[in-house]
PDB file of all heavy atoms in Angstrom:
ATOM      1  N   LYS U 672      58.180 231.883  46.641  1.00  0.00           N
ATOM      2  CA  LYS U 672      58.705 232.818  45.577  1.00  0.00           C
ATOM      3  C   LYS U 672      57.743 233.659  45.002  1.00  0.00           C
ATOM      4  O   LYS U 672      56.520 233.252  44.897  1.00  0.00           O
ATOM      5  CB  LYS U 672      59.314 231.895  44.590  1.00  0.00           C
ATOM      6  CG  LYS U 672      60.782 231.191  45.015  1.00  0.00           C
ATOM      7  CD  LYS U 672      61.278 230.399  44.033  1.00  0.00           C
ATOM      8  CE  LYS U 672      61.408 230.992  42.630  1.00  0.00           C
ATOM      9  NZ  LYS U 672      61.991 230.160  41.545  1.00  0.00           N
ATOM     10  N   LYS U 673      58.236 234.696  44.324  1.00  0.00           N
ATOM     11  CA  LYS U 673      57.297 235.634  43.582  1.00  0.00           C
ATOM     12  C   LYS U 673      57.679 235.465  42.143  1.00  0.00           C
ATOM     13  O   LYS U 673      58.862 235.131  41.784  1.00  0.00           O
ATOM     14  CB  LYS U 673      57.482 237.024  44.019  1.00  0.00           C
ATOM     15  CG  LYS U 673      56.826 237.254  45.436  1.00  0.00           C
ATOM     16  CD  LYS U 673      56.838 238.770  45.712  1.00  0.00           C
ATOM     17  CE  LYS U 673      56.214 238.999  47.090  1.00  0.00           C
ATOM     18  NZ  LYS U 673      56.005 240.288  47.328  1.00  0.00           N
ATOM     19  N   TYR U 674      56.729 235.632  41.294  1.00  0.00           N
ATOM     20  CA  TYR U 674      56.826 235.524  39.764  1.00  0.00           C
ATOM     21  C   TYR U 674      56.499 236.615  39.074  1.00  0.00           C
ATOM     22  O   TYR U 674      55.654 237.374  39.564  1.00  0.00           O
ATOM     23  CB  TYR U 674      56.049 234.287  39.330  1.00  0.00           C
ATOM     24  CG  TYR U 674      56.521 232.871  39.980  1.00  0.00           C
ATOM     25  CD1 TYR U 674      56.056 232.504  41.174  1.00  0.00           C
ATOM     26  CD2 TYR U 674      57.526 232.159  39.283  1.00  0.00           C
ATOM     27  CE1 TYR U 674      56.553 231.374  41.831  1.00  0.00           C
ATOM     28  CE2 TYR U 674      57.997 231.062  39.959  1.00  0.00           C
ATOM     29  CZ  TYR U 674      57.463 230.558  41.110  1.00  0.00           C
ATOM     30  OH  TYR U 674      58.000 229.456  41.751  1.00  0.00           O
ATOM     31  N   PRO U 675      56.889 236.941  37.797  1.00  0.00           N
ATOM     32  CA  PRO U 675      56.436 237.998  36.983  1.00  0.00           C
ATOM     33  C   PRO U 675      54.868 237.806  36.842  1.00  0.00           C
ATOM     34  O   PRO U 675      54.255 236.702  36.654  1.00  0.00           O
ATOM     35  CB  PRO U 675      57.123 237.834  35.623  1.00  0.00           C
ATOM     36  CG  PRO U 675      58.367 237.032  35.957  1.00  0.00           C
ATOM     37  CD  PRO U 675      57.990 236.323  37.106  1.00  0.00           C
ATOM     38  N   ILE U 676      54.174 238.976  36.934  1.00  0.00           N
ATOM     39  CA  ILE U 676      52.646 238.862  37.053  1.00  0.00           C
ATOM     40  C   ILE U 676      52.171 238.207  35.659  1.00  0.00           C
ATOM     41  O   ILE U 676      51.231 237.607  35.729  1.00  0.00           O
ATOM     42  CB  ILE U 676      52.133 240.249  37.187  1.00  0.00           C
ATOM     43  CG1 ILE U 676      50.568 240.219  37.555  1.00  0.00           C
ATOM     44  CG2 ILE U 676      52.491 241.295  36.107  1.00  0.00           C
ATOM     45  CD1 ILE U 676      50.011 241.464  38.086  1.00  0.00           C
ATOM     46  N   GLN U 677      52.844 238.453  34.506  1.00  0.00           N
ATOM     47  CA  GLN U 677      52.238 237.914  33.294  1.00  0.00           C
ATOM     48  C   GLN U 677      52.418 236.498  33.204  1.00  0.00           C
ATOM     49  O   GLN U 677      51.611 235.748  32.747  1.00  0.00           O
ATOM     50  CB  GLN U 677      52.959 238.656  32.014  1.00  0.00           C
ATOM     51  CG  GLN U 677      54.417 238.609  31.932  1.00  0.00           C
ATOM     52  CD  GLN U 677      55.107 239.732  32.586  1.00  0.00           C
ATOM     53  OE1 GLN U 677      54.745 240.122  33.756  1.00  0.00           O
ATOM     54  NE2 GLN U 677      56.097 240.145  31.896  1.00  0.00           N
ATOM     55  N   ASP U 678      53.517 235.878  33.950  1.00  0.00           N
ATOM     56  CA  ASP U 678      53.634 234.415  34.032  1.00  0.00           C
ATOM     57  C   ASP U 678      52.449 233.829  34.862  1.00  0.00           C
ATOM     58  O   ASP U 678      51.828 232.806  34.504  1.00  0.00           O
ATOM     59  CB  ASP U 678      54.910 233.906  34.551  1.00  0.00           C
ATOM     60  CG  ASP U 678      56.097 234.370  33.730  1.00  0.00           C
ATOM     61  OD1 ASP U 678      55.878 234.680  32.520  1.00  0.00           O
ATOM     62  OD2 ASP U 678      57.277 234.303  34.203  1.00  0.00           O
ATOM     63  N   VAL U 679      52.131 234.450  36.003  1.00  0.00           N
ATOM     64  CA  VAL U 679      51.091 234.102  36.822  1.00  0.00           C
ATOM     65  C   VAL U 679      49.741 234.184  36.078  1.00  0.00           C
ATOM     66  O   VAL U 679      48.823 233.204  36.111  1.00  0.00           O
ATOM     67  CB  VAL U 679      51.070 234.959  38.129  1.00  0.00           C
ATOM     68  CG1 VAL U 679      49.781 234.507  38.908  1.00  0.00           C
ATOM     69  CG2 VAL U 679      52.165 234.676  38.772  1.00  0.00           C
ATOM     70  N   LEU U 680      49.391 235.214  35.365  1.00  0.00           N
ATOM     71  CA  LEU U 680      48.213 235.378  34.476  1.00  0.00           C
ATOM     72  C   LEU U 680      48.087 234.220  33.475  1.00  0.00           C
ATOM     73  O   LEU U 680      47.018 233.599  33.421  1.00  0.00           O
ATOM     74  CB  LEU U 680      48.172 236.715  33.844  1.00  0.00           C
ATOM     75  CG  LEU U 680      47.886 237.952  34.699  1.00  0.00           C
ATOM     76  CD1 LEU U 680      48.052 239.205  33.945  1.00  0.00           C
ATOM     77  CD2 LEU U 680      46.483 237.854  35.322  1.00  0.00           C
ATOM     78  N   ARG U 681      49.232 234.036  32.866  1.00  0.00           N
ATOM     79  CA  ARG U 681      49.101 232.860  31.900  1.00  0.00           C
ATOM     80  C   ARG U 681      48.891 231.528  32.377  1.00  0.00           C
ATOM     81  O   ARG U 681      48.228 230.672  31.978  1.00  0.00           O
ATOM     82  CB  ARG U 681      50.375 232.797  30.981  1.00  0.00           C
ATOM     83  CG  ARG U 681      50.485 233.914  30.017  1.00  0.00           C
ATOM     84  CD  ARG U 681      51.675 233.830  29.167  1.00  0.00           C
ATOM     85  NE  ARG U 681      51.736 235.010  28.266  1.00  0.00           N
ATOM     86  CZ  ARG U 681      52.658 236.041  28.431  1.00  0.00           C
ATOM     87  NH1 ARG U 681      53.505 235.913  29.453  1.00  0.00           N
ATOM     88  NH2 ARG U 681      52.639 237.023  27.560  1.00  0.00           N
ATOM     89  N   ASP U 682      49.578 231.238  33.657  1.00  0.00           N
ATOM     90  CA  ASP U 682      49.309 229.951  34.331  1.00  0.00           C
ATOM     91  C   ASP U 682      47.903 229.812  34.783  1.00  0.00           C
ATOM     92  O   ASP U 682      47.343 228.748  34.746  1.00  0.00           O
ATOM     93  CB  ASP U 682      50.257 229.897  35.537  1.00  0.00           C
ATOM     94  CG  ASP U 682      51.685 229.623  35.193  1.00  0.00           C
ATOM     95  OD1 ASP U 682      52.090 229.308  34.098  1.00  0.00           O
ATOM     96  OD2 ASP U 682      52.636 229.660  35.922  1.00  0.00           O
ATOM     97  N   LEU U 683      47.355 231.031  35.365  1.00  0.00           N
ATOM     98  CA  LEU U 683      45.953 230.894  35.783  1.00  0.00           C
ATOM     99  C   LEU U 683      44.990 230.519  34.638  1.00  0.00           C
ATOM    100  O   LEU U 683      44.026 229.860  34.739  1.00  0.00           O
ATOM    101  CB  LEU U 683      45.628 232.139  36.448  1.00  0.00           C
ATOM    102  CG  LEU U 683      46.179 232.340  37.902  1.00  0.00           C
ATOM    103  CD1 LEU U 683      45.936 233.767  38.454  1.00  0.00           C
ATOM    104  CD2 LEU U 683      45.887 231.380  38.890  1.00  0.00           C
ATOM    105  N   ALA U 684      45.405 231.205  33.630  1.00  0.00           N
ATOM    106  CA  ALA U 684      44.454 231.098  32.433  1.00  0.00           C
ATOM    107  C   ALA U 684      44.554 229.699  31.822  1.00  0.00           C
ATOM    108  O   ALA U 684      43.650 229.309  31.089  1.00  0.00           O
ATOM    109  CB  ALA U 684      44.852 232.242  31.384  1.00  0.00           C
ATOM    110  N   SER U 685      45.537 229.043  31.885  1.00  0.00           N
ATOM    111  CA  SER U 685      45.887 227.655  31.231  1.00  0.00           C
ATOM    112  C   SER U 685      45.324 226.527  32.231  1.00  0.00           C
ATOM    113  O   SER U 685      45.642 225.312  31.899  1.00  0.00           O
ATOM    114  CB  SER U 685      47.258 227.545  30.872  1.00  0.00           C
ATOM    115  OG  SER U 685      48.126 227.549  31.894  1.00  0.00           O
ATOM    116  N   GLN U 686      44.872 226.906  33.447  1.00  0.00           N
ATOM    117  CA  GLN U 686      44.364 225.870  34.196  1.00  0.00           C
ATOM    118  C   GLN U 686      43.340 224.887  33.579  1.00  0.00           C
ATOM    119  O   GLN U 686      42.670 225.289  32.697  1.00  0.00           O
ATOM    120  CB  GLN U 686      43.616 226.371  35.508  1.00  0.00           C
ATOM    121  CG  GLN U 686      44.486 227.167  36.455  1.00  0.00           C
ATOM    122  CD  GLN U 686      43.654 227.513  37.602  1.00  0.00           C
ATOM    123  OE1 GLN U 686      43.471 226.800  38.581  1.00  0.00           O
ATOM    124  NE2 GLN U 686      43.014 228.823  37.568  1.00  0.00           N
ATOM    125  N   GLU U 687      43.250 223.611  34.126  1.00  0.00           N
ATOM    126  CA  GLU U 687      42.326 222.695  33.598  1.00  0.00           C
ATOM    127  C   GLU U 687      40.975 223.318  33.858  1.00  0.00           C
ATOM    128  O   GLU U 687      40.657 223.859  34.944  1.00  0.00           O
ATOM    129  CB  GLU U 687      42.500 221.388  34.284  1.00  0.00           C
ATOM    130  CG  GLU U 687      41.587 220.354  33.809  1.00  0.00           C
ATOM    131  CD  GLU U 687      41.814 218.976  34.634  1.00  0.00           C
ATOM    132  OE1 GLU U 687      42.756 218.868  35.317  1.00  0.00           O
ATOM    133  OE2 GLU U 687      40.951 218.164  34.363  1.00  0.00           O
ATOM    134  N   HIS U 688      40.062 223.214  32.917  1.00  0.00           N
ATOM    135  CA  HIS U 688      38.694 223.772  32.958  1.00  0.00           C
ATOM    136  C   HIS U 688      38.715 225.275  32.897  1.00  0.00           C
ATOM    137  O   HIS U 688      37.733 225.925  33.276  1.00  0.00           O
ATOM    138  CB  HIS U 688      37.851 223.236  34.168  1.00  0.00           C
ATOM    139  CG  HIS U 688      37.872 221.762  34.151  1.00  0.00           C
ATOM    140  ND1 HIS U 688      37.200 220.955  33.331  1.00  0.00           N
ATOM    141  CD2 HIS U 688      38.320 220.909  35.180  1.00  0.00           C
ATOM    142  CE1 HIS U 688      37.335 219.759  33.575  1.00  0.00           C
ATOM    143  NE2 HIS U 688      37.995 219.682  34.744  1.00  0.00           N
ATOM    144  N   GLY U 689      39.819 225.875  32.618  1.00  0.00           N
ATOM    145  CA  GLY U 689      39.806 227.376  32.506  1.00  0.00           C
ATOM    146  C   GLY U 689      39.676 227.772  31.042  1.00  0.00           C
ATOM    147  O   GLY U 689      40.562 227.586  30.201  1.00  0.00           O
ATOM    148  N   GLY U 690      38.523 228.332  30.827  1.00  0.00           N
ATOM    149  CA  GLY U 690      38.293 228.731  29.460  1.00  0.00           C
ATOM    150  C   GLY U 690      37.346 229.884  29.471  1.00  0.00           C
ATOM    151  O   GLY U 690      36.631 230.220  30.455  1.00  0.00           O
ATOM    152  N   GLY U 691      37.170 230.376  28.275  1.00  0.00           N
ATOM    153  CA  GLY U 691      36.077 231.480  28.049  1.00  0.00           C
ATOM    154  C   GLY U 691      36.771 232.839  28.219  1.00  0.00           C
ATOM    155  O   GLY U 691      37.920 233.010  28.295  1.00  0.00           O
ATOM    156  N   VAL U 692      35.880 233.939  28.167  1.00  0.00           N
ATOM    157  CA  VAL U 692      36.286 235.227  28.020  1.00  0.00           C
ATOM    158  C   VAL U 692      37.277 235.677  29.149  1.00  0.00           C
ATOM    159  O   VAL U 692      38.326 236.216  28.949  1.00  0.00           O
ATOM    160  CB  VAL U 692      35.098 236.215  27.908  1.00  0.00           C
ATOM    161  CG1 VAL U 692      35.633 237.577  28.023  1.00  0.00           C
ATOM    162  CG2 VAL U 692      34.381 235.870  26.689  1.00  0.00           C
ATOM    163  N   PRO U 693      37.103 235.426  30.516  1.00  0.00           N
ATOM    164  CA  PRO U 693      37.847 235.860  31.548  1.00  0.00           C
ATOM    165  C   PRO U 693      39.334 235.304  31.311  1.00  0.00           C
ATOM    166  O   PRO U 693      40.309 235.959  31.582  1.00  0.00           O
ATOM    167  CB  PRO U 693      37.269 235.295  32.804  1.00  0.00           C
ATOM    168  CG  PRO U 693      35.871 235.058  32.495  1.00  0.00           C
ATOM    169  CD  PRO U 693      35.824 234.707  31.010  1.00  0.00           C
ATOM    170  N   TYR U 694      39.433 234.041  30.922  1.00  0.00           N
ATOM    171  CA  TYR U 694      40.785 233.429  30.687  1.00  0.00           C
ATOM    172  C   TYR U 694      41.518 234.118  29.594  1.00  0.00           C
ATOM    173  O   TYR U 694      42.573 234.135  29.650  1.00  0.00           O
ATOM    174  CB  TYR U 694      40.641 231.974  30.706  1.00  0.00           C
ATOM    175  CG  TYR U 694      40.044 231.436  31.951  1.00  0.00           C
ATOM    176  CD1 TYR U 694      38.714 231.126  32.159  1.00  0.00           C
ATOM    177  CD2 TYR U 694      40.946 231.186  33.062  1.00  0.00           C
ATOM    178  CE1 TYR U 694      38.176 230.692  33.410  1.00  0.00           C
ATOM    179  CE2 TYR U 694      40.483 230.633  34.219  1.00  0.00           C
ATOM    180  CZ  TYR U 694      39.052 230.425  34.551  1.00  0.00           C
ATOM    181  OH  TYR U 694      38.666 230.048  35.670  1.00  0.00           O
ATOM    182  N   ASP U 695      40.671 234.286  28.495  1.00  0.00           N
ATOM    183  CA  ASP U 695      41.314 234.878  27.373  1.00  0.00           C
ATOM    184  C   ASP U 695      41.851 236.283  27.622  1.00  0.00           C
ATOM    185  O   ASP U 695      42.892 236.725  27.218  1.00  0.00           O
ATOM    186  CB  ASP U 695      40.270 234.899  26.186  1.00  0.00           C
ATOM    187  CG  ASP U 695      39.891 233.530  25.622  1.00  0.00           C
ATOM    188  OD1 ASP U 695      40.583 232.651  25.808  1.00  0.00           O
ATOM    189  OD2 ASP U 695      38.894 233.517  24.958  1.00  0.00           O
ATOM    190  N   GLN U 696      41.129 236.980  28.480  1.00  0.00           N
ATOM    191  CA  GLN U 696      41.472 238.318  28.829  1.00  0.00           C
ATOM    192  C   GLN U 696      42.702 238.301  29.645  1.00  0.00           C
ATOM    193  O   GLN U 696      43.597 239.309  29.600  1.00  0.00           O
ATOM    194  CB  GLN U 696      40.367 239.102  29.548  1.00  0.00           C
ATOM    195  CG  GLN U 696      39.202 239.472  28.694  1.00  0.00           C
ATOM    196  CD  GLN U 696      37.981 239.984  29.402  1.00  0.00           C
ATOM    197  OE1 GLN U 696      37.838 239.740  30.650  1.00  0.00           O
ATOM    198  NE2 GLN U 696      37.201 240.751  28.730  1.00  0.00           N
ATOM    199  N   MET U 697      42.844 237.307  30.522  1.00  0.00           N
ATOM    200  CA  MET U 697      44.094 237.108  31.272  1.00  0.00           C
ATOM    201  C   MET U 697      45.319 236.989  30.415  1.00  0.00           C
ATOM    202  O   MET U 697      46.424 237.640  30.647  1.00  0.00           O
ATOM    203  CB  MET U 697      44.130 235.978  32.347  1.00  0.00           C
ATOM    204  CG  MET U 697      43.285 236.260  33.508  1.00  0.00           C
ATOM    205  SD  MET U 697      43.481 234.799  34.742  1.00  0.00           S
ATOM    206  CE  MET U 697      42.058 233.956  34.478  1.00  0.00           C
ATOM    207  N   VAL U 698      45.143 236.216  29.355  1.00  0.00           N
ATOM    208  CA  VAL U 698      46.382 236.121  28.285  1.00  0.00           C
ATOM    209  C   VAL U 698      46.505 237.434  27.646  1.00  0.00           C
ATOM    210  O   VAL U 698      47.777 237.806  27.412  1.00  0.00           O
ATOM    211  CB  VAL U 698      46.026 234.887  27.426  1.00  0.00           C
ATOM    212  CG1 VAL U 698      47.013 234.742  26.383  1.00  0.00           C
ATOM    213  CG2 VAL U 698      45.950 233.546  28.112  1.00  0.00           C
TER     214      VAL U 698
END
């Protein structure tokens, strides 16, 4: 399935050990 890009960005940013500027920028 495909998902809205903003949902995918938020999911990627909220991964375990996902932190810092790149993840904040995804949100």
